[in-house]
Amino acid sequence: MSVKARWLGHAAVLLEGDGRKVLIDPFLSGNPKAAARPEEIEADMVLLTHDHEDHVGDLEYFLKAGAVFVGIHELAVDYAEKGYAAEGMNIGGTIEVRGIKIHMTHALHTSRVGHVVGFVIEFSDRQIYHAGDTGLTMDMKILAEFFSIDLAFLPIGDRYTMGVPSAAVAAAWCGAQKVVPIHYNTWPLIEADTEEFRKRLGEKAVILEPGGTIEV
Ligand code: NI
Ligand code: MN
């Protein structure tokens, strides 16, 4: 069964597969490039890569609406204390939430609480990687050992994350079949050249506009 992935702008991604909706880093209300308002999106679970505001965004809106929080242990404790359904985990672990397997990966970046992470979301026959905010890290090679990634979302905006040259190497290391660049052009500070990305990745590159979808 295929998976439909919709880039909502910045690092926000909605995955639909196996009858479930998995939302990652739901920064919509304050996002100048958001493709949707929170009220237009439904989610069974929300995966949070870290607690920077350009990732947390409308998280509590979705938790109030019944989505399960999935994230690093320390943040899961915080959201559970607020009364929300929360599944905590840590890097290297895999859990199953509402029938979807979620593997937590290392990301090289900072946060206020807990560690910054990425996720491999394992649908029944598709594996999707969301790298979170990260610099290039050798850990991405590990992913190719254990997963067969059909689609990856990699940051390319530079300054706070990888830029295009690093993301091109990350794409090769993680072994993804297709790569959608994210975390760029939201603000002038993180402008990126998608043509350069396309040149380096060739047919693997999938350049979307915010709101754009790809089915894998
Ligand atoms: Ni960040
Ligand atoms: Mn960020």
Side-chain angles (χ1 to χ4, degrees), residues 6-13 129-133 151-158 161-168 170-171 176 178-186 190-199 201-212 214:
R6 185 173 180 215
W7 182 40
L8 298 172
H10 204 54
V13 171
Y129 173 44
H130 187 296
D133 277 4
L151 176 66
F153 290 88
L154 301 180
I156 67 162
D158 214 327
T161 67
M162 298 188 285
V164 169
S166 300
K178 299 274 177 203
V179 181
V180 175
I182 60 171
H183 209 278
Y184 70 97
N185 290 1
T186 318
I190 54 170
E191 267 169 16
D193 182 353
T194 51
E195 274 317 303
E196 178 63 22
F197 183 80
R198 199 193 300 276
K199 213 185 291 175
L201 269 79
E203 292 191 341
K204 281 188 177 184
V206 179
I207 313 292
L208 299 177
E209 290 297 318
I214 173 177

Coordinates of all heavy atoms in Angstrom, one line a residue, residues 6-13 129-133 151-158 161-168 170-171 176 178-186 190-199 201-212 214:
R6 N 2.6 14.8 2.2 CA 2.3 16.2 1.8 C 3.2 17.1 2.7 O 3.3 17.0 3.9 CB 0.9 16.5 2.1 CG 0.4 17.9 1.7 CD -1.1 18.1 1.9 NE -1.5 19.4 1.5 CZ -2.4 20.1 2.0 NH1 -3.1 19.6 3.0 NH2 -2.7 21.4 1.6
W7 N 4.0 17.9 1.9 CA 4.9 18.9 2.6 C 4.0 20.1 2.9 O 3.5 20.8 2.0 CB 6.1 19.3 1.7 CG 7.0 20.3 2.4 CD1 7.4 20.3 3.7 CD2 7.6 21.4 1.8 NE1 8.3 21.3 3.9 CE2 8.4 22.0 2.8 CE3 7.6 21.9 0.5 CZ2 9.2 23.2 2.5 CZ3 8.4 23.1 0.2 CH2 9.2 23.7 1.2
L8 N 3.9 20.5 4.2 CA 3.0 21.6 4.6 C 3.8 22.9 4.8 O 3.2 23.9 5.2 CB 2.3 21.2 5.9 CG 1.4 20.0 5.8 CD1 0.9 19.6 7.2 CD2 0.2 20.3 4.9
G9 N 5.1 22.9 4.4 CA 5.9 24.1 4.6 C 6.9 23.9 5.8 O 6.6 23.2 6.8
H10 N 8.1 24.5 5.6 CA 9.1 24.4 6.6 C 9.5 22.9 6.9 O 9.8 22.2 6.0 CB 8.8 25.2 7.9 CG 10.0 25.6 8.7 ND1 11.0 26.3 8.1 CD2 10.3 25.4 10.0 CE1 12.0 26.5 9.0 NE2 11.6 25.9 10.2
A11 N 9.3 22.4 8.1 CA 9.6 21.0 8.4 C 8.3 20.2 8.6 O 8.4 19.0 9.0 CB 10.5 20.9 9.6
A12 N 7.2 20.8 8.4 CA 5.9 20.1 8.6 C 5.6 19.2 7.5 O 5.5 19.6 6.3 CB 4.8 21.2 8.8
V13 N 5.3 17.9 7.8 CA 5.0 16.9 6.8 C 3.8 16.1 7.3 O 3.8 15.7 8.5 CB 6.2 16.0 6.6 CG1 5.9 14.8 5.7 CG2 7.4 16.8 6.0
Y129 N 11.7 8.7 5.9 CA 12.7 9.3 6.8 C 12.5 10.8 6.9 O 12.5 11.4 5.8 CB 14.1 8.9 6.4 CG 15.3 9.6 7.1 CD1 15.3 9.7 8.5 CD2 16.4 10.1 6.4 CE1 16.3 10.3 9.2 CE2 17.4 10.7 7.1 CZ 17.4 10.8 8.5 OH 18.5 11.3 9.1
H130 N 12.3 11.3 8.1 CA 12.3 12.7 8.3 C 13.5 13.0 9.2 O 13.5 12.6 10.4 CB 11.0 13.1 9.0 CG 10.8 14.6 9.1 ND1 11.6 15.4 9.9 CD2 9.9 15.5 8.6 CE1 11.2 16.7 9.8 NE2 10.1 16.7 9.0
A131 N 14.4 13.8 8.7 CA 15.7 13.9 9.4 C 15.7 14.9 10.6 O 16.6 14.9 11.4 CB 16.8 14.4 8.4
G132 N 14.6 15.7 10.7 CA 14.6 16.7 11.7 C 15.6 17.8 11.3 O 16.1 17.9 10.2
D133 N 15.9 18.7 12.3 CA 17.0 19.7 12.0 C 18.3 19.0 12.3 O 18.5 18.5 13.4 CB 16.8 20.9 13.0 CG 15.8 21.9 12.5 OD1 15.1 21.7 11.5 OD2 15.6 22.9 13.2
L151 N 11.4 7.3 0.8 CA 11.3 8.8 0.7 C 12.0 9.4 1.9 O 11.7 9.0 3.0 CB 9.8 9.2 0.6 CG 9.5 10.6 0.6 CD1 10.0 11.3 -0.7 CD2 8.0 10.8 0.7
A152 N 12.8 10.4 1.7 CA 13.4 11.2 2.8 C 13.1 12.6 2.7 O 13.0 13.2 1.6 CB 14.9 10.9 2.8
F153 N 12.9 13.2 3.9 CA 12.7 14.7 4.0 C 14.0 15.2 4.7 O 14.2 14.9 5.8 CB 11.5 15.1 4.8 CG 10.2 14.8 4.1 CD1 9.6 13.5 4.1 CD2 9.6 15.7 3.3 CE1 8.4 13.2 3.5 CE2 8.4 15.4 2.6 CZ 7.9 14.2 2.7
L154 N 14.8 16.0 3.9 CA 16.1 16.5 4.4 C 16.1 18.0 4.4 O 15.7 18.6 3.4 CB 17.2 16.0 3.6 CG 17.4 14.5 3.4 CD1 18.6 14.2 2.5 CD2 17.6 13.8 4.8
P155 N 16.6 18.6 5.5 CA 16.7 20.1 5.5 C 17.9 20.6 4.6 O 18.9 19.9 4.6 CB 17.1 20.4 7.0 CG 17.7 19.2 7.5 CD 17.1 18.0 6.8
I156 N 17.6 21.7 3.9 CA 18.7 22.2 3.0 C 18.9 23.7 3.2 O 19.7 24.3 2.5 CB 18.3 22.0 1.5 CG1 17.1 22.8 1.1 CG2 18.1 20.5 1.3 CD1 17.0 22.9 -0.4
G157 N 18.3 24.3 4.2 CA 18.3 25.8 4.4 C 19.6 26.4 4.9 O 19.8 27.6 4.9
D158 N 20.6 25.5 5.3 CA 21.8 26.0 5.8 C 21.6 26.8 7.1 O 20.6 26.9 7.6 CB 22.6 26.8 4.7 CG 24.1 26.6 4.8 OD1 24.6 26.5 5.9 OD2 24.7 26.6 3.7
T161 N 20.9 24.2 9.8 CA 20.9 22.8 9.5 C 21.9 22.6 8.3 O 22.6 23.5 7.9 CB 19.5 22.4 8.9 OG1 19.3 23.0 7.7 CG2 18.4 22.7 9.9
M162 N 21.8 21.4 7.7 CA 22.6 21.2 6.5 C 22.2 22.2 5.4 O 21.1 22.6 5.3 CB 22.3 19.8 5.9 CG 22.6 18.6 6.8 SD 22.4 17.0 6.0 CE 20.6 16.9 6.0
G163 N 23.2 22.5 4.6 CA 22.9 23.1 3.3 C 22.8 22.1 2.2 O 22.9 20.9 2.4
V164 N 22.7 22.6 1.0 CA 22.5 21.7 -0.2 C 23.7 20.7 -0.3 O 23.4 19.5 -0.5 CB 22.3 22.5 -1.5 CG1 22.4 21.6 -2.7 CG2 21.0 23.2 -1.4
P165 N 25.0 21.1 -0.3 CA 26.0 20.1 -0.4 C 26.0 18.9 0.6 O 26.1 17.8 0.2 CB 27.3 20.9 -0.3 CG 26.9 22.3 -0.7 CD 25.5 22.4 -0.1
S166 N 25.8 19.3 1.9 CA 25.7 18.3 2.9 C 24.4 17.4 2.7 O 24.5 16.2 2.9 CB 25.6 18.9 4.3 OG 26.7 19.7 4.6
A167 N 23.3 18.0 2.3 CA 22.1 17.2 2.1 C 22.3 16.2 1.0 O 21.7 15.1 1.1 CB 20.9 18.2 1.9
A168 N 23.0 16.6 0.0 CA 23.2 15.7 -1.1 C 24.0 14.5 -0.7 O 23.7 13.3 -1.1 CB 24.0 16.4 -2.3
A170 N 24.0 13.4 2.5 CA 23.1 12.7 3.4 C 22.1 11.8 2.6 O 21.8 10.7 3.0 CB 22.3 13.7 4.2
A171 N 21.7 12.3 1.5 CA 20.7 11.6 0.6 C 21.4 10.3 0.2 O 20.7 9.2 0.2 CB 20.3 12.4 -0.6
A176 N 18.1 6.8 0.4 CA 16.7 7.1 0.0 C 16.5 7.1 -1.5 O 17.4 7.5 -2.3 CB 16.3 8.5 0.5
K178 N 13.9 8.6 -3.0 CA 13.5 10.0 -3.4 C 13.7 10.9 -2.2 O 13.6 10.5 -1.1 CB 12.0 10.0 -3.7 CG 11.6 9.1 -4.9 CD 11.7 9.9 -6.2 CE 11.4 9.0 -7.4 NZ 12.0 9.5 -8.6
V179 N 14.0 12.2 -2.5 CA 14.3 13.1 -1.4 C 13.6 14.4 -1.7 O 13.7 15.0 -2.7 CB 15.8 13.4 -1.3 CG1 16.1 14.4 -0.1 CG2 16.6 12.1 -1.1
V180 N 12.8 14.8 -0.7 CA 12.2 16.1 -0.7 C 12.9 17.1 0.2 O 13.1 16.8 1.4 CB 10.7 16.0 -0.2 CG1 10.0 17.4 -0.1 CG2 9.9 15.1 -1.1
P181 N 13.4 18.2 -0.3 CA 14.1 19.2 0.6 C 13.1 20.0 1.4 O 12.0 20.3 0.9 CB 14.8 20.1 -0.4 CG 14.0 20.0 -1.7 CD 13.4 18.6 -1.7
I182 N 13.5 20.2 2.7 CA 12.6 21.0 3.5 C 13.5 22.0 4.3 O 14.7 22.1 4.2 CB 11.8 20.1 4.5 CG1 12.8 19.3 5.4 CG2 10.9 19.2 3.7 CD1 12.1 18.5 6.5
H183 N 12.8 22.8 5.2 CA 13.5 23.7 6.1 C 14.3 24.7 5.3 O 15.5 25.0 5.6 CB 14.3 23.0 7.1 CG 14.5 23.7 8.4 ND1 15.5 24.7 8.6 CD2 13.9 23.5 9.6 CE1 15.4 25.1 9.9 NE2 14.5 24.4 10.5
Y184 N 13.7 25.3 4.3 CA 14.4 26.4 3.5 C 13.3 27.3 2.9 O 12.1 27.0 2.8 CB 15.2 25.8 2.3 CG 14.3 25.2 1.2 CD1 14.0 25.9 0.0 CD2 13.8 23.9 1.3 CE1 13.2 25.4 -1.0 CE2 13.0 23.4 0.3 CZ 12.7 24.1 -0.8 OH 11.9 23.6 -1.8
N185 N 13.8 28.6 2.6 CA 12.9 29.6 2.0 C 11.7 30.0 2.9 O 10.9 30.8 2.4 CB 12.5 29.2 0.6 CG 13.6 29.2 -0.4 OD1 14.7 29.5 0.0 ND2 13.3 28.9 -1.6
T186 N 11.7 29.6 4.1 CA 10.6 30.0 5.0 C 10.9 31.5 5.4 O 9.9 32.3 5.5 CB 10.6 29.2 6.3 OG1 10.8 27.8 6.0 CG2 9.3 29.4 7.1
I190 N 17.3 31.5 5.6 CA 17.5 30.1 5.2 C 17.1 29.9 3.7 O 16.5 28.8 3.4 CB 16.8 29.1 6.1 CG1 15.3 29.4 6.3 CG2 17.4 29.0 7.5 CD1 14.5 28.3 7.0
E191 N 17.4 30.8 2.9 CA 17.2 30.6 1.5 C 18.1 29.6 0.9 O 19.3 29.4 1.3 CB 17.5 32.0 0.7 CG 16.2 32.8 0.6 CD 16.5 34.2 0.1 OE1 17.6 34.5 -0.4 OE2 15.5 35.0 0.2
A192 N 17.6 28.8 0.0 CA 18.4 27.7 -0.6 C 18.1 27.6 -2.1 O 17.0 28.0 -2.6 CB 18.1 26.4 0.1
D193 N 19.1 27.0 -2.8 CA 19.0 26.9 -4.3 C 18.5 25.5 -4.6 O 19.3 24.6 -4.6 CB 20.4 27.2 -4.8 CG 20.4 27.2 -6.4 OD1 19.4 26.8 -7.0 OD2 21.4 27.5 -6.9
T194 N 17.2 25.4 -4.9 CA 16.7 24.1 -5.2 C 17.2 23.5 -6.6 O 17.3 22.3 -6.8 CB 15.2 24.1 -5.3 OG1 14.7 25.1 -6.1 CG2 14.6 24.3 -3.9
E195 N 17.6 24.4 -7.5 CA 18.2 23.9 -8.7 C 19.5 23.2 -8.5 O 19.8 22.2 -9.1 CB 18.4 25.1 -9.7 CG 17.1 25.4 -10.5 CD 16.5 24.1 -11.1 OE1 17.1 23.3 -11.8 OE2 15.3 23.9 -10.7
E196 N 20.3 23.8 -7.6 CA 21.6 23.1 -7.2 C 21.3 21.8 -6.6 O 22.0 20.8 -6.8 CB 22.3 24.0 -6.2 CG 23.7 23.5 -5.7 CD 24.7 23.2 -6.8 OE1 24.6 23.9 -7.9 OE2 25.6 22.4 -6.6
F197 N 20.2 21.7 -5.7 CA 19.8 20.4 -5.1 C 19.5 19.4 -6.2 O 19.9 18.3 -6.2 CB 18.7 20.7 -4.2 CG 18.2 19.5 -3.4 CD1 18.8 19.1 -2.3 CD2 17.0 18.8 -3.8 CE1 18.4 17.9 -1.6 CE2 16.6 17.7 -3.1 CZ 17.3 17.3 -2.0
R198 N 18.7 19.9 -7.2 CA 18.3 19.0 -8.3 C 19.5 18.5 -9.1 O 19.6 17.4 -9.5 CB 17.3 19.8 -9.2 CG 16.4 18.8 -10.0 CD 15.7 19.6 -11.1 NE 14.8 20.7 -10.7 CZ 13.6 20.5 -10.3 NH1 13.1 19.3 -10.3 NH2 12.8 21.5 -9.9
K199 N 20.4 19.4 -9.3 CA 21.6 19.1 -10.1 C 22.4 18.0 -9.3 O 22.9 17.0 -9.9 CB 22.5 20.3 -10.2 CG 23.3 20.4 -11.5 CD 24.2 21.6 -11.6 CE 23.5 22.9 -11.7 NZ 24.4 24.1 -11.6
L201 N 21.3 15.8 -7.0 CA 20.6 14.6 -6.7 C 20.0 13.9 -7.9 O 19.7 12.7 -7.9 CB 19.5 14.8 -5.7 CG 19.9 14.6 -4.2 CD1 20.7 15.8 -3.7 CD2 18.8 14.3 -3.3
G202 N 19.9 14.6 -9.0 CA 19.3 14.0 -10.2 C 17.9 13.6 -10.0 O 17.1 14.3 -9.4
E203 N 17.6 12.4 -10.4 CA 16.2 11.9 -10.4 C 15.7 11.6 -9.0 O 14.5 11.5 -8.8 CB 16.1 10.6 -11.3 CG 16.3 10.9 -12.7 CD 15.9 9.8 -13.6 OE1 15.8 8.6 -13.1 OE2 15.7 10.0 -14.8
K204 N 16.6 11.6 -8.0 CA 16.1 11.4 -6.7 C 15.4 12.6 -6.1 O 14.6 12.6 -5.2 CB 17.3 11.1 -5.7 CG 17.8 9.7 -5.8 CD 18.9 9.5 -4.7 CE 19.3 8.1 -4.7 NZ 20.3 7.9 -3.5
A205 N 15.7 13.8 -6.7 CA 15.2 15.1 -6.1 C 13.8 15.2 -6.4 O 13.3 15.1 -7.6 CB 16.0 16.2 -6.7
V206 N 13.0 15.6 -5.4 CA 11.6 15.9 -5.6 C 11.3 17.3 -5.0 O 11.2 17.4 -3.8 CB 10.7 14.8 -5.0 CG1 9.2 15.2 -5.1 CG2 10.9 13.4 -5.5
I207 N 11.3 18.3 -5.8 CA 11.1 19.6 -5.3 C 9.6 19.9 -5.3 O 8.9 19.9 -6.3 CB 11.8 20.7 -6.3 CG1 13.2 20.2 -6.6 CG2 11.8 22.1 -5.6 CD1 14.2 20.2 -5.5
L208 N 9.1 20.2 -4.1 CA 7.7 20.5 -3.9 C 7.5 21.9 -3.5 O 8.4 22.6 -2.9 CB 7.1 19.6 -2.8 CG 7.1 18.1 -3.0 CD1 6.5 17.4 -1.8 CD2 6.3 17.7 -4.3
E209 N 6.4 22.5 -3.8 CA 5.9 23.8 -3.2 C 5.2 23.4 -1.9 O 4.7 22.3 -1.8 CB 5.0 24.5 -4.2 CG 5.6 25.0 -5.4 CD 6.6 26.1 -5.2 OE1 6.3 26.9 -4.3 OE2 7.7 26.1 -5.8
P210 N 5.2 24.3 -0.9 CA 4.4 24.0 0.3 C 3.0 23.6 -0.1 O 2.4 24.3 -1.0 CB 4.5 25.3 1.0 CG 5.8 25.9 0.6 CD 5.9 25.6 -0.8
G211 N 2.5 22.5 0.4 CA 1.2 22.0 0.0 C 1.3 20.8 -1.0 O 0.4 20.1 -1.2
G212 N 2.5 20.7 -1.6 CA 2.7 19.7 -2.6 C 2.7 18.3 -2.1 O 3.1 18.1 -0.9
I214 N 3.6 14.0 -2.7 CA 4.2 12.9 -3.5 C 3.7 11.6 -2.9 O 3.6 11.4 -1.7 CB 5.8 12.9 -3.5 CG1 6.4 11.7 -4.1 CG2 6.3 13.1 -2.1 CD1 7.9 11.6 -4.2

